[in-house]
Amino acid sequence: MMNGSIKVRYLLVAVLGLTLASCGTVYRTPEVVEGVAGGTNVRVMNLTAESVIQANRSAYAPRSLPDVFSRTAGSGSGLRGTGALPSPTLDVQTRPNALELRLPPPVDPGPYEIGIGDVVLLATPRAAGSVEQLSGLLAAQNSRQGYTVQDDGSINIPDVGRVRIAGLTIEDAEAALFQRLVENQIDPTFSLEISEFNSRRVSIGGAVSQPTVVPVTLTPLYLEEALAAAGGITVEDQDYASIRLYRDGTLYQIPLSQLYSRASLTKTRLLPGDAIFVDTEYELARAQEYFAQQITLVQARQAARASALQELQLEVSLRRDNLDEARDNYKARLDLGADDRDYVYLAGEVGTQSRFALPYERKASLADALYDAGGVASSTGDVSQVYVLRASSDPRELGAITAWHLDARNAANFALAPRFELRPDDIIFIAQQPVTKWSRAVSQILPQILSVGNAVSN
């Protein structure tokens, strides 16, 4: 059984708890109440995508930093010159006239024709039967080894003999092979493909990274692909470089400057036997001498201006010190509260109740201020009761306040916070959770209950 002191304590707890719940006079907690009360007219507006646009329409221009923060120490005076220097003894070489564009005529070479040196691959079904007599065909399929077209234009197939296919398209070559297999009473089920293209090529040289020979395959070969295969173009002066194309004894020319400005030129189709040479008509040796002379003149100017540079460096250093001093003075005035600054105030269940200074030269959002103060207090804050309290700027509406309400129980609504622009003197308020109110009320009265109980028991 409980002794008398314990009974007294429980009785006091019950009595004071009922008193707290009935009258609500022991603990008060702030909240946002819509309507007119105490001379204040509060209108609650739920935050939505549309209402955010409405709230952001209110006029506001962020404060600008003083001009001292935009000036640099190097602005103002320049270097003193050294007067006129003698003219160069070497005249600039006159460059050649603009290079002429001479394109090869458009041509369609037709389907690829098998040539000497190409490697063809014959593939036959794996099923057993009379086709197994073609041991060479099976070997070609299984080991991926084909038949090289010999100098006489034919390939030699075991048990079939030599079949001439040079100069034929793949379809014509398949027809010729089909006829020979039928003549030798062999199942003519097979497929033919070219595994190596060695008979038709285009050579590339000159001012390229890697001169090479590019094979012409079943698909068209264009100029851009050939240049890429050679590692790209390397010239000292692209304005006067050109691509020379030799075809059937005729020289064609594409200036490099036009190649880059006209994308269609890169699609120039190349034919077997074409020779590409990247060349330049402009001799750079004399230009290098001229540039060397100009460098000498520049060095003379630099030597004469060395003292002027030193004076300028001293002047810049003094200016920088003056700017730093002015900026430090302004920061000190801010720290001491001597200069006006726009603030937003955070109250209620935020991480830290404080004031948030609106930035210079840009606008801040609800998210900026809220999370600068630590966000919503996770243990006590009610995420469904986040408000931005904004007083009316119209003097005729003194006491009118709009409470922009963010209900963040749906976490997706937090996406509105970075879009909601703050204004000077806004108040961000987060209400308590219901259980937080009770917990704080109990924490206030519990020590008094215990002290009274101790007194009664004694």
Side-chain angles (χ1 to χ4, degrees):
M1 296 179 64
M2 294 185 296
N3 56 35
S5 62
I6 295 177
K7 289 181 179 181
V8 170
R9 290 181 182 179
Y10 274 104
L11 180 60
L12 289 174
V13 170
V15 171
L16 291 177
L18 290 173
T19 303
L20 176 64
S22 61
C23 64
T25 59
V26 176
Y27 183 76
R28 296 290 185 182
T29 179
E31 59 184 3
V32 176
V33 179
E34 187 172 15
V36 179
T40 302
N41 183 11
V42 179
R43 181 182 61 166
V44 177
M45 296 286 292
N46 291 325
L47 273 188
T48 63
E50 292 75 14
S51 62
V52 166
I53 297 175
Q54 179 182 353
N56 292 344
R57 287 175 180 168
S58 59
Y60 169 61
R63 293 180 181 269
S64 299
L65 283 170
D67 180 63
V68 69
F69 284 91
S70 60
R71 294 205 306 266
T72 61
S75 61
S77 64
L79 292 175
R80 292 190 292 270
T82 59
L85 292 176
S87 302
T89 58
L90 178 66
D91 293 333
V92 181
Q93 180 182 0
T94 302
R95 292 187 171 185
N97 295 329
L99 299 178
E100 179 185 357
L101 174 64
R102 298 191 299 273
L103 290 175
V107 62
D108 183 6
Y112 184 87
E113 295 181 354
I114 300 173
I116 296 174
D118 288 344
V119 178
V120 297
L121 180 65
L122 298 175
T124 60
R126 293 180 180 273
S130 59
V131 75
E132 291 182 348
Q133 299 176 21
L134 291 175
S135 58
L137 299 184
L138 291 175
Q141 180 201 26
N142 295 335
S143 62
R144 305 300 293 176
Q145 294 178 355
Y147 299 94
T148 302
V149 180
Q150 303 299 320
D151 294 340
D152 61 352
S154 62
I155 58 174
N156 187 17
I157 303 176
D159 301 328
V160 174
R162 305 185 72 83
V163 182
R164 182 177 179 80
I165 61 174
L168 302 179
T169 64
I170 293 180
E171 291 77 11
D172 294 340
E174 287 178 341
L177 288 171
F178 179 90
Q179 184 65 30
R180 291 295 300 274
L181 293 176
V182 171
E183 291 174 357
N184 288 272
Q185 298 181 352
I186 300 175
D187 184 4
T189 304
F190 69 94
S191 64
L192 175 68
E193 62 182 81
I194 303 175
S195 60
E196 295 181 21
F197 298 86
N198 300 319
S199 63
R200 302 176 183 275
R201 299 184 176 185
V202 172
S203 62
I204 305 174
V208 293
S209 296
Q210 299 175 349
T212 184
V213 176
V214 181
V216 178
T217 64
L218 299 178
T219 57
L221 177 63
Y222 297 105
L223 179 59
E224 61 179 351
E225 299 169 351
L227 294 175
I233 297 173
T234 57
V235 295
E236 295 184 34
D237 192 338
Q238 293 186 356
D239 292 336
Y240 288 85
S242 63
I243 297 176
R244 308 290 180 81
L245 170 59
Y246 295 88
R247 177 183 294 172
D248 297 332
T250 303
L251 175 63
Y252 303 98
Q253 178 175 273
I254 301 177
L256 197 59
S257 58
Q258 297 191 39
L259 178 71
Y260 291 144
S261 61
R262 296 174 52 184
S264 60
L265 296 179
T266 63
K267 293 297 183 180
T268 301
R269 185 168 181 176
L270 303 180
L271 301 181
D274 285 350
I276 303 296
F277 189 84
V278 181
D279 195 11
T280 175
E281 291 184 358
Y282 184 53
E283 179 60 48
L284 294 178
R286 294 191 66 195
Q288 292 174 352
E289 296 177 5
Y290 169 75
F291 293 143
Q293 187 181 73
Q294 294 300 311
I295 292 174
T296 302
L297 294 177
V298 171
Q299 291 174 345
R301 292 190 180 95
Q302 291 177 343
R305 297 165 72 184
S307 59
L309 282 173
Q310 293 178 356
E311 293 178 6
L312 178 62
Q313 290 173 355
L314 177 61
E315 181 181 352
V316 169
S317 177
L318 293 175
R319 289 189 177 193
R320 183 176 293 113
D321 292 341
N322 290 335
L323 290 175
D324 290 342
E325 182 179 7
R327 292 168 183 171
D328 291 340
N329 289 340
Y330 181 75
K331 293 177 181 178
R333 290 178 60 86
L334 283 180
D335 294 339
L336 296 174
D339 276 26
D340 290 337
R341 188 74 186 271
D342 293 331
Y343 292 97
V344 168
Y345 303 89
L346 296 101
E349 302 305 314
V350 292
T352 302
Q353 297 195 33
S354 59
R355 66 178 184 177
F356 173 77
L358 293 179
Y360 289 100
E361 300 180 358
R362 71 175 182 87
K363 296 178 181 179
S365 68
L366 171 59
D368 293 333
L370 189 60
Y371 289 97
D372 184 75
V376 181
S378 58
S379 59
T380 61
D382 187 351
V383 294
S384 69
Q385 300 294 319
V386 179
Y387 295 91
V388 177
L389 307 178
R390 180 173 299 171
S392 174
S393 59
D394 190 342
R396 294 172 299 178
E397 298 180 354
L398 187 63
I401 295 176
T402 301
W404 300 97
H405 174 216
L406 174 63
D407 185 351
R409 286 177 295 182
N410 181 357
N413 289 339
F414 273 120
L416 299 173
R419 297 166 54 188
F420 185 92
E421 297 176 359
L422 296 175
R423 298 293 183 260
D425 300 327
D426 280 352
I427 297 176
I428 301 173
F429 172 76
I430 301 175
Q432 294 177 341
Q433 298 178 8
V435 68
T436 302
K437 300 178 182 180
W438 173 253
S439 175
R440 287 177 173 171
V442 171
S443 65
Q444 280 188 330
I445 65 174
L446 187 59
Q448 300 176 9
I449 293 174
L450 295 178
S451 62
V452 171
N454 289 333
V456 172
S457 63
N458 293 331

